[in-house]
């Protein structure tokens, strides 16, 4: 599938809120020390791509002398659709999402991330994320399909706004943004499927509730 190259500088975007990063607040009135579960659909990188992303995060964190908690490779991902935050595992929601996602058909594709950008997220925090300077029609199509099937099934009540594919490497408290960093070599992997994830806030723990392959038949 042809891709349009639109290499652009992210300088000047650093004070913006990146769509999908930190713009959703946790449920109100949570009991103290209660870790809510977050449910979302994600594209996971391959092992080599995740290792390269972690290496980028480690190098930048060290260079910037940041006391940042780096995300382990097993939880790195590109969010396709946020479903919701819950106080306990929402089994009906997971069942409905699984049923809907099993009906989705979309082609496999190559995912590509080529630069790291720093964004303000929430409560004084900033996030360093990997993004792509090139549009990816297949990735956008997959994200739209995920949103459509979940919306039609009533799993999500409203469709999210703009989609900016990104992979969060770490959060930090420094107010000065990290300068945009172009990678010497882009991080590339063959995206062959997507996953339904339950994340336990503050525990760096993900539970996989299903994997669905993408079609190898592009015809």
């Amino acid at each position: 599938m042809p891709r349009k190259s639109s290499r652009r500088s992210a300088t000047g975007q650093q004070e913006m809120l990146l769509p999908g990063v930190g713009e959703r607040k946790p449920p109100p009135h949570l009991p103290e020390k209660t870790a809510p579960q977050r449910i979302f659909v994600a594209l996971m990188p391959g092992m080599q791509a995740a290792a390269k992303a972690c290496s980028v995060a480690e190098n930048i964190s060290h260079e910037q002398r940041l006391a940042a908690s780096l995300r382990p490779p097993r939880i790195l991902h590109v969010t396709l659709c946020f479903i919701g935050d819950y106080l306990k595992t929402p089994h009906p929601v997971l069942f409905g999402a699984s049923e809907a996602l099993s009906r989705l058909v979309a082609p496999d594709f190559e995912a590509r991330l080529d630069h790291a950008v720093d964004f303000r997220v929430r409560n004084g925090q900033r996030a360093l994320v990997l993004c792509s300077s090139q549009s990816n029609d297949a990735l956008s199509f997959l994200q739209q399909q995920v949103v459509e099937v979940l919306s039609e099934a009533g799993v999500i009540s409203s469709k999210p706004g703009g989609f900016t594919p990104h992979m969060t490497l770490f959060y930090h408290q420094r107010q000065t943004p990290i300068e945009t960093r172009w990678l010497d070599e882009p991080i590339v992997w063959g995206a062959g499927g997507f996953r339904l994830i339950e994340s336990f806030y503050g525990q760096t723990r993900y539970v996989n509730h299903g994997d669905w392959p993408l079609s190898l038949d592009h015809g």
Side-chain angles (χ1 to χ4, degrees):
M1 182 173 293
R3 301 181 180 88
K4 298 178 181 179
S5 176
S6 58
R7 185 180 179 90
R8 62 184 184 280
S9 170
T11 305
Q13 296 180 356
Q14 293 173 331
E15 295 302 322
M16 295 171 60
L17 277 172
L18 183 64
V21 177
E23 58 186 14
R24 299 183 181 91
K25 297 180 180 179
H29 312 302
L30 288 179
E32 257 185 66
K33 300 183 180 178
T34 296
Q37 283 94 305
R38 171 161 290 187
I39 309 298
F40 58 92
V41 181
L43 184 72
M44 312 299 291
M47 293 179 61
Q48 289 187 341
K52 288 180 180 179
C54 285
S55 179
V56 170
E58 185 175 359
N59 290 339
I60 294 178
S61 176
H62 178 73
E63 290 172 7
Q64 299 293 321
R65 299 181 180 180
L66 294 173
S69 179
L70 306 185
R71 309 188 96 188
R74 59 185 169 78
I75 70 168
L76 294 179
H77 66 276
V78 174
T79 299
L80 297 174
C81 183
F82 169 81
I83 294 177
D85 287 327
Y86 304 87
L87 287 175
K88 60 181 180 179
T89 301
H91 295 290
V93 172
L94 291 170
F95 177 79
S98 296
E99 287 287 301
L101 294 171
S102 67
R103 298 192 293 270
L104 190 153
V105 178
D108 66 328
F109 58 91
E110 184 178 87
R112 182 181 188 275
L113 302 171
D114 56 22
H115 65 286
V117 189
D118 189 292
F119 282 87
R120 178 176 57 85
V121 285
R122 62 182 180 276
N123 299 331
Q125 277 193 325
R126 304 190 70 87
L128 187 74
V129 306
L130 288 176
C131 294
S132 178
S133 61
Q134 298 181 359
S135 62
N136 189 322
D137 294 339
L139 174 55
S140 296
F141 177 75
L142 172 61
Q143 190 268 343
Q144 291 168 8
Q145 291 298 101
V146 168
V147 169
E148 285 294 333
V149 297
L150 293 178
S151 178
E152 290 173 0
V155 175
I156 56 176
S157 58
S158 61
K159 297 180 181 180
F163 175 57
T164 303
H166 62 274
M167 179 184 293
T168 302
L169 298 178
F170 60 78
Y171 296 97
H172 66 92
Q173 298 288 342
R174 196 178 74 180
Q175 296 302 305
T176 305
I178 299 170
E179 186 177 348
T180 296
R181 184 76 53 89
W182 291 92
L183 308 187
D184 294 333
E185 293 183 0
I187 296 173
V188 179
W189 74 93
F194 54 95
R195 179 173 295 177
L196 178 62
I197 294 173
E198 179 179 18
S199 169
F200 290 77
Y201 182 77
Q203 299 181 28
T204 319
R205 180 163 71 97
Y206 282 7
V207 174
N208 179 15
H209 288 280
D211 285 289
W212 292 270
L214 296 173
S215 172
L216 297 176
D217 181 6
H218 295 201

